[in-house]
Amino acid sequence: MTAAHVTLCFLLRNDAEGEHVLLGTKKTGFGSGKVVGVGGHVEPGETAVEAAVREVMEEISVVVRAADLVQAGTVDFIFPARPEWNMATTVYLTRTWIGEPSESDEIAPDWYPVARLPVERMWADAEHWLPAMIAGQRIAVQVDLAPDNQSVASVYTVAWSGS
């Protein structure tokens, strides 16, 4: 089975308290109740960057321009017990956007200190790659989930060459 192509976009800002990342509590669907990045499926005929721009608008009512997105790398999620859940994810970062993030039917956004990500409320894999990408590492990651579809069985990371 082919993995679904999805995107994630992380908004970053600095203030007097340090660097923060915008994450959100997922309100519906896959991952409901978890703190996640903003993103979703790449629609037919759409590029990954176009999907990221669209998803950010749909989920948090913020405008990001494709030119302001920095591709941080990729994360392939492998669910051996549920291969139909497999995802090939393109990850973007940005420090430039228009508007103030607001809640939608799908996600309740909030700013979190990068130094204290809420990993206990996130998918178990996030702590293995998100801090590195935010810190500027460009990596390609493969996450193999355990049979419970929650725990991480293994993580394989290499330098990302871009594509």
Side-chain angles (χ1 to χ4, degrees), residues 1 21 44 77 80 93-94 126 130 160:
M1 172 167 265
V21 60
F77 297 98
L93 307 173
T94 187
L130 183 56
W160 178 69

Side-chain angles (χ1 to χ4, degrees), residues 107-144:
I107 197 163
D110 202 1
W111 292 99
Y112 293 89
V114 168
R116 293 184 313 279
L117 295 176
V119 293
E120 69 285 348
R121 295 178 51 212
M122 301 175 79
W123 284 97
D125 61 86
E127 67 184 318
H128 296 281
W129 57 268
L130 183 56
M133 285 189 183
I134 291 173
Q137 291 182 37
R138 301 299 172 245
I139 53 179
V141 181
Q142 179 177 310
V143 176
D144 293 303

